[in-house]
Every structure is written in C-alpha cells, then in structure tokens.
Amino acid sequence: MESLALKILSSIGTSYAARPIYTRGGHGYLKRRIDSFNKAAKGTPFFLGTDLDQYQCAAVLIADWLKVPKHPNLLIRVAVREAEAWVLADRENFSKFLGIRMAEVPEDVESLSDPKAQLIALARKSKRKNVRDDICPRDGSIAKIGPNYNGQLGRFVSQTWNPNTAKQNSNSLKRTMDRLTKFRPTWAQPS
C-alpha cells in the first residue's frame, strides 16, 4: 500500500508531504492504532489506506475499527478487496510488466474475491523469469507470496503503474483519488 499511496499522492498534483509512513504490521497495526491516528489528526492530517478484505463494505470496516467520531483530517481509504486490485486495474501496464496479453488481466478487478491470488496466478504466466521467481511462491513452499513480491510490485508501481488509468477500472481507487484531490485540512481554532 505504501508504494500505491506515494504514487497516488504524486499523481494528483497536490502539495502533500507523505512522511512518515507507518507500515508496521499492515492491517492489524492500523486497526490497533486508529484511535491514536484519529486524535493526532487534529493537528496533522493522516491518510490511512487499507484493504477491504472480508468486510462487506468500507463503512462497516470503519465502524468496526473506529468507535468514536472520525476527525475530518483522518482520511481512511479502502481498496476493494485488496490493494492488488488497484495494481491490476492498470491492465495495459501490468500486462506489459508481466509480458502477457492484456486480455488475460481481468477488467472488473473489484469483483475478484482474492486479487492477490489472481495477481500471482498471472505472474506465473510471465515470460520474465525474474518477475515470476520474485512474485510467485516456490513450488512446495507454504509461503503465500514470492521472496521479493513487495520489491517487484513496489518497483512496478513506482516506475510504471498509472493511477489515472487504473481508476477507470476501480471505483474504490477513483473515489480515493477524488477524495484526496478535494481534501482540505480542518484546523482547530485556538481558544
């Protein structure tokens, strides 16, 4: 999600400074710390990106995670079902990255029940051995991803992925980009 967030922020042409980035433990870490991020948002805006995973919708996820009213400076954006759907949504560039036909990359990425598994299945077809070996788990391995999964996808996202193209195939990405474009911080009034 980190590479995606940085690329999205740079693509919308705003003056966001994306630092620091908290990536410790992913989904679980964010859920445990959301109250702290919400409180801190009074003084510093926070962009929190996560996967929908098995939640019914983003509103249900947010209600489960955050038990108090959300501060307007806490931007919670949710990829449907997983961030990998946003990666797959740039079908043309992703197919070129793997060296496969674009027709093999699904059009309706948000209908996929497991975008990560779909991404790995597509990577298994890659003509590029280094990409295949990095993204896909080894035969017989209990690992769900390959040894350099994040490195390869991070490189693809930062160098090639086009969020403006991808948002045409992903409503959750489009909503995220629209919200970030329109966002203006709310500052507490001094007493």
Side-chain angles (χ1 to χ4, degrees):
M1 185 60 91
E2 178 182 346
S3 298
L4 289 167
L6 290 172
K7 187 70 172 248
I8 290 165
L9 289 171
S10 70
S11 76
I12 59 175
T14 65
S15 58
Y16 290 114
R19 295 288 182 247
I21 296 175
Y22 302 100
T23 58
R24 304 173 214 150
H27 185 94
Y29 172 79
L30 296 175
K31 184 177 180 180
R32 284 189 307 277
R33 303 288 298 160
I34 195 165
D35 288 332
S36 298
F37 291 129
N38 195 43
K39 288 175 187 170
K42 293 175 186 173
T44 303
F46 277 84
F47 169 47
L48 200 130
T50 190
D51 296 335
L52 184 60
D53 286 329
Q54 299 308 312
Y55 282 92
Q56 178 184 359
C57 65
V60 171
L61 179 147
I62 293 166
D64 182 48
W65 284 22
L66 191 60
K67 305 300 184 195
V68 298
K70 186 182 79 57
H71 191 280
N73 288 344
L74 179 63
L75 301 172
I76 304 172
R77 305 313 305 169
V78 182
V80 175
R81 290 253 142 238
E82 298 171 319
E84 284 83 357
W86 290 1
V87 174
L88 292 169
D90 183 358
R91 297 175 64 235
E92 182 178 356
N93 283 324
F94 191 69
S95 65
K96 288 178 184 175
F97 169 68
L98 293 181
I100 62 174
R101 293 179 305 108
M102 188 170 82
E104 296 181 75
V105 182
E107 290 182 38
D108 187 5
V109 295
E110 292 190 349
S111 71
L112 299 171
S113 61
D114 190 346
K116 182 180 286 185
Q118 180 68 46
L119 188 150
I120 290 170
L122 291 171
R124 287 191 192 288
K125 300 176 181 182
S126 177
K127 294 177 170 82
R128 298 181 175 90
K129 184 179 180 341
N130 66 321
V131 171
R132 226 179 23 251
D133 290 349
D134 282 350
I135 293 177
C136 303
R138 305 271 191 271
D139 289 338
S141 170
I142 60 169
K144 294 184 180 189
I145 60 174
N148 194 23
Y149 178 89
N150 291 325
Q152 278 288 356
L153 291 183
R155 182 176 60 83
F156 166 71
V157 167
S158 65
Q159 294 177 6
T160 310
W161 184 71
N162 185 331
N164 290 306
T165 301
K167 74 180 182 181
Q168 305 306 315
N169 295 314
S170 170
N171 288 329
S172 64
L173 176 58
K174 182 180 183 330
R175 287 190 307 272
T176 293
M177 292 176 69
D178 289 348
R179 178 67 180 106
L180 287 167
T181 300
K182 294 173 186 170
F183 174 71
R184 298 296 174 265
T186 300
W187 303 114
Q189 300 299 316
S191 40

